[in-house]
């Protein structure tokens, strides 16, 4: 585990956050109905943090060992285009992503919850785990969330990175202050049409 000062120093360098899906974005449960259709639960606040961070310039990716169309659907909702499914060797996927985006490993963060995430966690500048991650994963992580997978761990991690970069207060101010929300994040076409 990193000290607070070490965490801040590393978080300032982060340009991309890569996440496992099941057990990080979700609580790890898979619901299957009588027709064999799969469902998963995602936490809205995690998604909100991803959307805000993307608007502030952070990039995101998902590397998951399972093949599920739900992952792509949720990623599309959040504007995440780097989605890699069905890969147990996540290190190769990480290296491909970083190479294509011309990022150094120190500029990437990764959050995972199970054993096959540990090799990836060792290759990035900042690694994290949900509160309910497998014990060895929590031990390997630079930082462990106070929240479990699918219940706020992504939000907490993203907030801390943005805070270290001096950006999170601006997000909060946009919603709690008297300023126009779109003043900081840019205007959208719908708002322009209403004025």
């Amino acid at each position: 585990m990193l000290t607070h000062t070490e965490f801040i120093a590393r978080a300032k360098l982060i340009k991309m956050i890569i996440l496992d899906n099941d057990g990080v974005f979700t609580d790890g449960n898979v619901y299957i109905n009588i027709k064999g259709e799969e469902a998963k639960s995602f936490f809205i606040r995690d998604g909100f943090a991803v959307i805000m961070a993307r608007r502030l310039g952070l990039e995101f990716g998902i590397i998951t060992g399972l093949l599920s169309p739900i992952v792509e659907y949720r990623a599309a909702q959040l504007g995440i285009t780097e989605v890699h499914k069905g890969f147990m060797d996540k290190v190769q996927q990480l290296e491909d992503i970083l190479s294509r985006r011309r990022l150094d490993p120190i500029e990437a963060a990764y959050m995972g919850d199970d054993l096959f995430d540990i090799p990836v966690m060792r290759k990035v500048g900042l690694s994290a785990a949900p509160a309910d991650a497998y014990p060895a994963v929590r031990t390997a992580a630079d930082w462990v969330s106070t929240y479990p997978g699918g219940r706020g761990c992504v939000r907490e991690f993203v907030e801390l990175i943005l805070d270290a970069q001096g950006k999170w207060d601006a997000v909060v101010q946009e919603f709690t202050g008297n300023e126009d929300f779109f003043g900081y994040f840019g205007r959208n076409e719908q708002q322009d049409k209403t004025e």
Side-chain angles (χ1 to χ4, degrees):
M1 294 277 285
L2 299 176
T3 66
H4 179 71
T5 303
E6 291 168 333
F7 180 94
I8 297 298
R10 289 197 195 183
K12 285 180 178 180
L13 304 174
I14 298 303
K15 295 181 179 177
M16 183 171 200
I17 300 172
I18 302 169
L19 305 161
D20 179 28
N21 188 68
D22 297 289
V24 174
F25 255 134
T26 76
D27 61 10
N29 288 312
V30 178
Y31 306 95
I32 302 173
N33 69 19
I34 197 160
K35 295 179 182 178
E37 297 167 331
E38 186 178 286
K40 298 180 185 201
S41 174
F42 294 88
F43 196 50
I44 292 298
R45 283 184 241 161
D46 287 339
F48 176 77
V50 170
I51 290 168
M52 292 298 101
R54 285 188 57 253
R55 289 180 178 177
L56 292 168
L58 279 181
E59 298 179 68
F60 283 83
I62 297 171
I63 304 174
T64 180
L66 298 178
L67 292 169
S68 172
I70 295 170
V71 178
E72 288 174 333
Y73 183 79
R74 182 61 175 152
Q77 288 179 321
L78 302 177
I80 300 173
T81 57
E82 285 284 357
V83 180
H84 303 270
K85 303 182 313 180
F87 294 99
M88 297 308 275
D89 178 7
K90 296 183 176 189
V91 171
Q92 182 62 52
Q93 297 307 306
L94 170 75
E95 291 172 351
D96 289 347
I97 291 168
L98 297 181
S99 175
R100 277 187 288 99
R101 293 182 176 263
R102 293 187 172 93
L103 293 172
D104 288 327
I106 195 131
E107 296 173 312
Y110 183 85
M111 179 178 263
D113 73 306
D114 214 337
L115 293 172
F116 47 83
D117 293 308
I118 293 174
V120 183
M121 294 167 71
R122 291 180 174 154
K123 297 283 185 182
V124 296
L126 186 61
S127 64
D132 61 343
Y134 189 76
V137 178
R138 293 194 312 263
T139 299
D142 295 323
W143 175 81
V144 177
S145 177
T146 58
Y147 296 97
R151 294 293 301 155
C153 66
V154 172
R155 169 72 172 260
E156 185 180 26
F157 191 40
V158 170
E159 272 190 35
L160 289 173
I161 290 171
L162 289 176
D163 193 50
Q165 295 177 358
K167 298 176 181 176
W168 185 251
D169 284 344
V171 173
V172 174
Q173 178 63 33
E174 293 296 338
F175 290 97
T176 61
N178 294 323
E179 297 178 29
D180 175 19
F181 167 78
F182 295 102
Y184 187 79
F185 293 108
R187 306 181 71 80
N188 67 24
E189 292 178 22
Q190 184 64 35
Q191 184 183 11
D192 290 338
K193 290 177 185 176
T194 61
E195 292 183 344

